Amino acid sequence: MRIVTGTYKGRHFDIPRSFKARPTTDFAKENIFNVLQGYIDFEDTSALDLFAGTGSISLELLSRGCSSVVSVELDRDHARFIQQCIDKLSTNSNSDALLNHTLIRGDVFKFLKTCKKQFDFIFADPPYALPTLAQIPDKALPLLKEGGVFVFEHGKQNDFSSHPRFVEHRSYGSVNFSIFKR
């Protein structure tokens, strides 16, 4: 897994083979972030990464200058890996990554119910087979600030184009993104 651009551009992190998470491919990540440049300036943006998995998106957001990034991940080993990556960035580059990042080890749906903060940008990459996947946009969008952007990664069998906040769909191989705006 590598960071595509920004302060930490080119940094690589080796994902343990035992991980169940599938990180967003570098190709798909690079392309969706290129699209997002037309929607949002990440500099000084507050961001939320739901189903953070390996932390690939969280690391990319920190590298692009987000003022705060909250990562929510249920799996203990994945959460530990994310924290190790943040620690490496903070130690090796003398940066504020550690200060700008909050890791919440917990259930995304419980977090969405109890969170009182709103964000400029939200990214969600749930397991594609999650039975409640179709509910995620409606549960995440209330946490989005006015004018904010929500990116939802999902399988090709899902179609969110009829959602009132939907603005665009992008597909990169087997990776699909639906973009919503508030």
Side-chain angles (χ1 to χ4, degrees):
M1 166 178 88
R2 78 177 166 92
I3 299 175
V4 176
T5 197
T7 305
Y8 310 119
K9 179 181 180 177
R11 294 292 304 271
H12 286 265
F13 298 92
D14 294 324
I15 300 168
R17 291 182 186 195
S18 61
F19 272 24
K20 296 169 269 189
R22 55 155 176 76
T24 303
T25 64
D26 289 345
F27 174 75
K29 181 170 59 173
E30 187 168 7
N31 280 290
I32 195 62
F33 272 95
N34 285 340
V35 169
L36 290 172
Q37 286 178 339
Y39 287 98
I40 192 166
D41 178 10
F42 289 101
E43 191 79 23
D44 297 323
T45 294
S46 62
L48 174 63
D49 183 8
L50 300 171
F51 304 95
T54 62
S56 174
I57 298 300
S58 295
L59 295 171
E60 194 68 41
L61 291 166
L62 288 166
S63 185
R64 290 169 184 261
C66 285
S67 59
S68 69
V69 176
V70 175
S71 306
V72 182
E73 174 54 44
L74 181 61
D75 186 277
R76 180 189 69 229
D77 294 333
H78 295 184
R80 187 178 307 125
F81 177 76
I82 294 168
Q83 191 58 55
Q84 289 169 351
C85 292
I86 296 295
D87 291 345
K88 283 179 187 172
L89 287 181
S90 296
T91 303
N92 295 341
S93 56
N94 214 7
S95 76
D96 291 334
L98 192 59
L99 300 174
N100 297 347
H101 183 257
T102 303
L103 176 62
I104 297 173
R105 190 176 152 259
D107 180 82
V108 166
F109 293 100
K110 288 180 184 174
F111 174 83
L112 291 172
K113 260 188 210 172
T114 60
C115 182
K116 303 294 182 227
K117 183 178 177 184
Q118 286 192 309
F119 300 87
D120 300 303
F121 179 76
I122 300 173
F123 187 94
D125 179 11
Y128 290 179
L130 187 70
T132 54
L133 183 132
Q135 299 171 14
I136 294 171
D138 287 331
K139 292 185 183 296
L141 283 165
L143 297 185
L144 202 58
K145 290 180 182 175
E146 193 65 39
V149 175
F150 170 53
V151 174
F152 188 41
E153 184 175 335
H154 55 83
K156 65 182 176 199
Q157 71 278 10
N158 301 101
D159 179 9
F160 296 95
S161 59
S162 63
H163 192 283
R165 297 286 182 185
F166 175 86
V167 291
E168 184 175 352
H169 173 263
R170 293 291 177 125
S171 177
Y172 305 102
S174 62
V175 181
N176 289 265
F177 297 100
S178 289
I179 302 172
F180 302 81
K181 196 160 168 67
R182 182 153 189 223

Short mmCIF file of all heavy atoms in Angstrom, two decimals, residues 100-127:
data_model
loop_
_atom_site.label_atom_id
_atom_site.label_comp_id
_atom_site.label_asym_id
_atom_site.label_seq_id
_atom_site.Cartn_x
_atom_site.Cartn_y
_atom_site.Cartn_z
N ASN A 100 -3.20 15.05 14.23
CA ASN A 100 -4.35 15.29 13.36
C ASN A 100 -5.23 14.06 13.16
O ASN A 100 -6.21 14.12 12.45
CB ASN A 100 -3.88 15.78 11.99
CG ASN A 100 -3.15 17.10 12.07
OD1 ASN A 100 -3.19 17.78 13.08
ND2 ASN A 100 -2.47 17.46 11.00
N HIS A 101 -4.84 12.94 13.75
CA HIS A 101 -5.55 11.69 13.52
C HIS A 101 -6.16 11.15 14.81
O HIS A 101 -5.53 11.16 15.86
CB HIS A 101 -4.58 10.64 12.94
CG HIS A 101 -5.25 9.36 12.62
ND1 HIS A 101 -5.15 8.25 13.42
CD2 HIS A 101 -6.07 9.02 11.59
CE1 HIS A 101 -5.85 7.27 12.88
NE2 HIS A 101 -6.42 7.70 11.79
N THR A 102 -7.40 10.67 14.69
CA THR A 102 -8.08 9.99 15.79
C THR A 102 -8.53 8.63 15.28
O THR A 102 -9.23 8.55 14.26
CB THR A 102 -9.31 10.79 16.27
OG1 THR A 102 -8.89 12.10 16.64
CG2 THR A 102 -9.99 10.10 17.44
N LEU A 103 -8.13 7.59 15.98
CA LEU A 103 -8.53 6.23 15.62
C LEU A 103 -9.58 5.76 16.61
O LEU A 103 -9.37 5.80 17.82
CB LEU A 103 -7.32 5.30 15.66
CG LEU A 103 -7.59 3.82 15.41
CD1 LEU A 103 -8.18 3.58 14.02
CD2 LEU A 103 -6.31 3.02 15.59
N ILE A 104 -10.71 5.35 16.08
CA ILE A 104 -11.78 4.81 16.91
C ILE A 104 -11.94 3.34 16.55
O ILE A 104 -12.27 3.02 15.40
CB ILE A 104 -13.10 5.58 16.70
CG1 ILE A 104 -12.90 7.02 17.15
CG2 ILE A 104 -14.24 4.89 17.45
CD1 ILE A 104 -14.04 7.93 16.88
N ARG A 105 -11.66 2.48 17.50
CA ARG A 105 -11.84 1.06 17.28
C ARG A 105 -13.25 0.71 17.74
O ARG A 105 -13.56 0.71 18.93
CB ARG A 105 -10.83 0.23 18.06
CG ARG A 105 -10.89 -1.22 17.63
CD ARG A 105 -9.84 -2.08 18.30
NE ARG A 105 -10.40 -3.41 18.33
CZ ARG A 105 -10.96 -3.97 19.38
NH1 ARG A 105 -10.99 -3.36 20.53
NH2 ARG A 105 -11.47 -5.18 19.30
N GLY A 106 -14.14 0.52 16.77
CA GLY A 106 -15.52 0.24 17.12
C GLY A 106 -16.38 0.02 15.89
O GLY A 106 -15.92 0.13 14.75
N ASP A 107 -17.62 -0.26 16.14
CA ASP A 107 -18.61 -0.52 15.10
C ASP A 107 -19.02 0.79 14.41
O ASP A 107 -19.39 1.75 15.09
CB ASP A 107 -19.82 -1.21 15.74
CG ASP A 107 -20.90 -1.51 14.73
OD1 ASP A 107 -20.79 -2.53 14.04
OD2 ASP A 107 -21.85 -0.70 14.63
N VAL A 108 -18.95 0.81 13.10
CA VAL A 108 -19.29 2.01 12.33
C VAL A 108 -20.73 2.44 12.57
O VAL A 108 -21.00 3.63 12.74
CB VAL A 108 -19.03 1.78 10.82
CG1 VAL A 108 -19.69 2.86 9.98
CG2 VAL A 108 -17.53 1.72 10.55
N PHE A 109 -21.66 1.49 12.63
CA PHE A 109 -23.07 1.85 12.78
C PHE A 109 -23.35 2.47 14.16
O PHE A 109 -24.14 3.41 14.27
CB PHE A 109 -23.97 0.65 12.50
CG PHE A 109 -23.93 0.24 11.06
CD1 PHE A 109 -23.15 -0.84 10.66
CD2 PHE A 109 -24.62 0.94 10.09
CE1 PHE A 109 -23.07 -1.20 9.32
CE2 PHE A 109 -24.55 0.59 8.75
CZ PHE A 109 -23.77 -0.49 8.36
N LYS A 110 -22.69 1.98 15.18
CA LYS A 110 -22.83 2.59 16.51
C LYS A 110 -22.22 3.98 16.50
O LYS A 110 -22.78 4.92 17.08
CB LYS A 110 -22.17 1.71 17.57
CG LYS A 110 -22.93 0.45 17.87
CD LYS A 110 -22.24 -0.38 18.93
CE LYS A 110 -22.99 -1.68 19.15
NZ LYS A 110 -22.27 -2.57 20.06
N PHE A 111 -21.08 4.13 15.84
CA PHE A 111 -20.43 5.43 15.74
C PHE A 111 -21.36 6.43 15.03
O PHE A 111 -21.53 7.56 15.48
CB PHE A 111 -19.09 5.32 14.99
CG PHE A 111 -18.46 6.65 14.72
CD1 PHE A 111 -17.69 7.27 15.70
CD2 PHE A 111 -18.63 7.30 13.50
CE1 PHE A 111 -17.11 8.51 15.47
CE2 PHE A 111 -18.06 8.53 13.28
CZ PHE A 111 -17.30 9.14 14.25
N LEU A 112 -21.96 6.00 13.91
CA LEU A 112 -22.84 6.90 13.16
C LEU A 112 -24.04 7.35 13.98
O LEU A 112 -24.52 8.47 13.83
CB LEU A 112 -23.30 6.22 11.87
CG LEU A 112 -22.23 6.01 10.80
CD1 LEU A 112 -22.76 5.14 9.66
CD2 LEU A 112 -21.70 7.33 10.29
N LYS A 113 -24.52 6.48 14.86
CA LYS A 113 -25.66 6.82 15.72
C LYS A 113 -25.30 7.84 16.79
O LYS A 113 -26.13 8.66 17.17
CB LYS A 113 -26.17 5.55 16.43
CG LYS A 113 -27.37 4.94 15.82
CD LYS A 113 -27.86 3.83 16.74
CE LYS A 113 -28.54 2.76 15.90
NZ LYS A 113 -28.87 1.59 16.66
N THR A 114 -24.09 7.77 17.31
CA THR A 114 -23.73 8.58 18.48
C THR A 114 -22.85 9.79 18.17
O THR A 114 -22.72 10.67 19.02
CB THR A 114 -23.01 7.72 19.53
OG1 THR A 114 -21.81 7.18 18.94
CG2 THR A 114 -23.89 6.59 20.01
N CYS A 115 -22.28 9.86 17.00
CA CYS A 115 -21.37 10.97 16.67
C CYS A 115 -22.14 12.29 16.55
O CYS A 115 -23.18 12.36 15.90
CB CYS A 115 -20.64 10.68 15.36
SG CYS A 115 -19.48 11.98 14.91
N LYS A 116 -21.64 13.31 17.19
CA LYS A 116 -22.28 14.63 17.17
C LYS A 116 -21.53 15.61 16.26
O LYS A 116 -22.00 16.71 16.02
CB LYS A 116 -22.34 15.22 18.59
CG LYS A 116 -23.06 14.34 19.59
CD LYS A 116 -24.52 14.21 19.27
CE LYS A 116 -25.24 13.38 20.30
NZ LYS A 116 -26.11 12.39 19.75
N LYS A 117 -20.36 15.22 15.79
CA LYS A 117 -19.53 16.09 14.96
C LYS A 117 -19.94 15.95 13.49
O LYS A 117 -20.44 14.92 13.06
CB LYS A 117 -18.06 15.68 15.14
CG LYS A 117 -17.09 16.52 14.40
CD LYS A 117 -15.65 16.10 14.66
CE LYS A 117 -14.75 16.97 13.81
NZ LYS A 117 -13.35 16.62 13.90
N GLN A 118 -19.70 17.02 12.74
CA GLN A 118 -19.90 16.95 11.29
C GLN A 118 -18.56 17.13 10.60
O GLN A 118 -17.63 17.72 11.15
CB GLN A 118 -20.88 18.02 10.82
CG GLN A 118 -22.31 17.69 11.20
CD GLN A 118 -23.29 18.61 10.48
OE1 GLN A 118 -23.14 19.82 10.52
NE2 GLN A 118 -24.28 18.03 9.83
N PHE A 119 -18.46 16.62 9.37
CA PHE A 119 -17.21 16.58 8.63
C PHE A 119 -17.38 17.21 7.25
O PHE A 119 -18.47 17.19 6.69
CB PHE A 119 -16.75 15.12 8.48
CG PHE A 119 -16.51 14.42 9.79
CD1 PHE A 119 -17.56 13.78 10.44
CD2 PHE A 119 -15.27 14.42 10.38
CE1 PHE A 119 -17.37 13.14 11.66
CE2 PHE A 119 -15.06 13.79 11.60
CZ PHE A 119 -16.11 13.15 12.23
N ASP A 120 -16.28 17.70 6.71
CA ASP A 120 -16.28 18.24 5.34
C ASP A 120 -16.25 17.12 4.31
O ASP A 120 -16.75 17.28 3.20
CB ASP A 120 -15.03 19.12 5.12
CG ASP A 120 -14.96 20.29 6.07
OD1 ASP A 120 -15.91 21.09 6.09
OD2 ASP A 120 -13.95 20.39 6.81
N PHE A 121 -15.65 16.00 4.69
CA PHE A 121 -15.47 14.88 3.77
C PHE A 121 -15.63 13.57 4.52
O PHE A 121 -15.09 13.40 5.61
CB PHE A 121 -14.08 14.94 3.13
CG PHE A 121 -13.79 13.80 2.19
CD1 PHE A 121 -14.36 13.78 0.93
CD2 PHE A 121 -12.97 12.75 2.57
CE1 PHE A 121 -14.11 12.72 0.06
CE2 PHE A 121 -12.72 11.70 1.71
CZ PHE A 121 -13.28 11.68 0.45
N ILE A 122 -16.39 12.65 3.92
CA ILE A 122 -16.55 11.31 4.49
C ILE A 122 -16.28 10.29 3.39
O ILE A 122 -16.75 10.43 2.26
CB ILE A 122 -17.98 11.09 5.05
CG1 ILE A 122 -18.29 12.10 6.16
CG2 ILE A 122 -18.13 9.65 5.58
CD1 ILE A 122 -19.73 12.05 6.66
N PHE A 123 -15.51 9.28 3.75
CA PHE A 123 -15.23 8.16 2.85
C PHE A 123 -15.66 6.88 3.55
O PHE A 123 -15.35 6.69 4.72
CB PHE A 123 -13.73 8.08 2.53
CG PHE A 123 -13.38 7.08 1.48
CD1 PHE A 123 -13.28 7.46 0.15
CD2 PHE A 123 -13.17 5.75 1.80
CE1 PHE A 123 -12.96 6.54 -0.84
CE2 PHE A 123 -12.86 4.81 0.83
CZ PHE A 123 -12.74 5.21 -0.49
N ALA A 124 -16.38 6.01 2.85
CA ALA A 124 -16.79 4.73 3.42
C ALA A 124 -16.47 3.61 2.45
O ALA A 124 -16.84 3.68 1.27
CB ALA A 124 -18.29 4.73 3.75
N ASP A 125 -15.78 2.59 2.95
CA ASP A 125 -15.43 1.42 2.16
C ASP A 125 -15.79 0.17 2.94
O ASP A 125 -14.91 -0.52 3.46
CB ASP A 125 -13.92 1.46 1.83
CG ASP A 125 -13.47 0.26 1.02
OD1 ASP A 125 -14.33 -0.50 0.52
OD2 ASP A 125 -12.25 0.06 0.90
N PRO A 126 -17.09 -0.14 3.03
CA PRO A 126 -17.52 -1.32 3.79
C PRO A 126 -17.23 -2.60 3.02
O PRO A 126 -16.99 -2.56 1.81
CB PRO A 126 -19.02 -1.10 3.93
CG PRO A 126 -19.39 -0.36 2.69
CD PRO A 126 -18.22 0.55 2.41
N PRO A 127 -17.30 -3.74 3.71
CA PRO A 127 -17.23 -5.01 2.98
C PRO A 127 -18.37 -5.04 1.96
O PRO A 127 -19.51 -4.70 2.28
CB PRO A 127 -17.45 -6.06 4.07
CG PRO A 127 -17.10 -5.38 5.35
CD PRO A 127 -17.45 -3.93 5.15
#
